[in-house]
Structure formats: C-alpha cells, structure tokens
C-alpha cells in the first residue's frame, strides 16, 4: 500500500495513516523510510518543486514531533539529552554481548562484517551450523544468494540508470540500502538478522523486478 501511494504520488490522509501505522509497529523503520522518501523526492526531476518543498517540510516537522516520542516511549529514556542517549548506547552494548545462541559482538566486528552477516548468513562452510533451524536457514540463504547474484548481474546488464528511475523505484533502492546499513549498524544476533530481512528484501526485489523488466519491455517495443 505504501509503494502504491508513492508510485502514484498520492500523499493523502491514507498515506499519513500508513506512516502512523508503521511508526506504531516499527518506529525506527518509520524514520528510515521517511529519510528514503525525502531523498527519492529530492532526486526526482518529474516532481514539481512546490510538491518537493511541501513534502520535505512535512517530513522535517514529522521528525521533530515523532523523534522525542520515540526516545521517550520506545527507548524509555527518562530525559531526552545527549548524555542520556550515550548512556543508553553503553547499556545496549553491554546487554547485547553474547546474547542468544547466534550472538554477534558489535564491539569485535565492523559494520561491513555485520552487513554481510545480515544479508547472507548463515551459509554452509562459512558459518558453524549448530542446529536444524540454522541448517534450514543456510539452505534458504544459498537460494537467496543465487537469486541475488542473478538479479544483480541482470540489472547491471539490462537495468535502468539511477537518473532514469521513477519515484517508487528510487524509493525502494534507497530504502533497501539505507535499511541494510541501519540494521547492520546494530546487528547483535544472527536470528534477529534473519527476521530483519523481511523489512528490506521486498523493497530490494521490487526494485530489481521493476527496473530490469522495464528496460527489457522498452527494448522489445523498439525492435517491434
């Protein structure tokens, strides 16, 4: 529903309702999607300047209103200050050390390592499989890795350039990359990472499917 609204530029009350629903379910996801939408709008030449200004201004006001709510009621910070947020970060790093059967140390890994774990792990031979669930996940990841490589190669050969992308394609590309980097920044458990994929894989595959097929269709029409 969100992509449909963005694709047809229907920034109405239904769009605001969807944003509020996402905020209530996953507030951190909400802020990433707002950032991705603003960036998509700014880089889109087909959207009038007045519409860009209204949406960017609305996004800024929304963030100013919702960030304190997020810090107070979701992170449960007693006071909203820089020191309070630093204290939360220190407590988070301590709490997530060796958490779960497939823990990932944030302090002992880089963000690039965690991003790789987020997207592809576990994989046979690259990760120590300890139980049946991890084995099933590794088989699923092999399939995903093959599909991802094929999709990436096809996009590099047949995909549209960034400037030629329409608003929903830009949004899904930016949202996918931003979500992957964001989730990878605090990934502390492999099982959690597997669940996080549900929040960015649909956007990633939507981008691949639409951009590759679009250029192939145009090429066939030119030949005909």
């Amino acid at each position: 529903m969100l992509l449909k609204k963005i694709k047809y530029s229907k920034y109405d009350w239904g769009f605001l309702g969807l944003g509020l629903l996402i905020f209530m379910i996953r507030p951190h996801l909400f802020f990433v999607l707002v950032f991705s939408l603003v960036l998509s709008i700014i880089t889109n030449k087909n959207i009038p300047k007045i519409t860009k200004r209204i949406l960017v201004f609305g996004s800024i006001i929304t963030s100013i209103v919702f960030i304190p709510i997020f810090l107070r009621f979701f992170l449960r910070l007693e006071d909203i200050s820089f020191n309070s947020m630093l204290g939360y970060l220190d407590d988070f790093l301590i709490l997530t050390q060796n958490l779960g059967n497939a823990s990932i140390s944030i302090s002992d890994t880089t963000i690039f390592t965690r991003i790789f774990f987020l997207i592809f792990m576990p994989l046979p031979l690259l990760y120590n499989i300890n139980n049946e669930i991890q084995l099933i996940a590794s088989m699923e990841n092999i399939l995903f890795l093959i599909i991802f490589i094929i999709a990436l190669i096809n996009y590099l050969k047949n995909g549209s350039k960034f400037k030629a992308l329409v608003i929903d394609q830009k949004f899904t590309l930016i949202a996918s990359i931003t979500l992957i980097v964001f989730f990878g920044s605090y990934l502390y458990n492999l099982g959690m990472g597997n669940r996080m994929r549900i929040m960015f894989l649909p956007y990633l595959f939507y981008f691949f499917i639409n951009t590759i097929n679009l250029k192939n269709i145009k090429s066939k029409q030119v030949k005909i």
Side-chain angles (χ1 to χ4, degrees), residues 78-108:
E78 295 182 359
D79 64 295
I80 302 173
S81 65
F82 183 71
N83 290 332
S84 180
M85 286 187 279
L86 284 179
Y88 177 87
L89 179 60
D90 291 336
D91 293 340
F92 178 78
L93 291 174
I94 294 171
L95 179 66
T96 55
Q97 285 290 337
N98 299 318
L99 189 63
N101 295 325
S103 61
I104 300 170
S105 174
I106 296 177
S107 57
D108 295 333

Side-chain angles (χ1 to χ4, degrees), residues 4 11 15 34 38 68 91-92 101 103 114 139 155 180 199 204-205 215:
K4 188 174 181 180
Y11 305 112
F15 177 77
V34 168
V38 169
D91 293 340
F92 178 78
N101 295 325
S103 61
R114 293 194 296 274
M139 295 298 104
Y155 174 75
I180 289 170
M199 290 184 272
L204 188 61
F205 284 120
K215 190 164 184 179

Side-chain angles (χ1 to χ4, degrees), residues 112-126:
F112 302 105
T113 303
R114 293 194 296 274
I115 286 175
F116 179 77
F117 271 66
L118 171 67
I119 301 175
F120 299 117
M121 285 296 182
L123 286 172
L125 304 178
L126 294 180

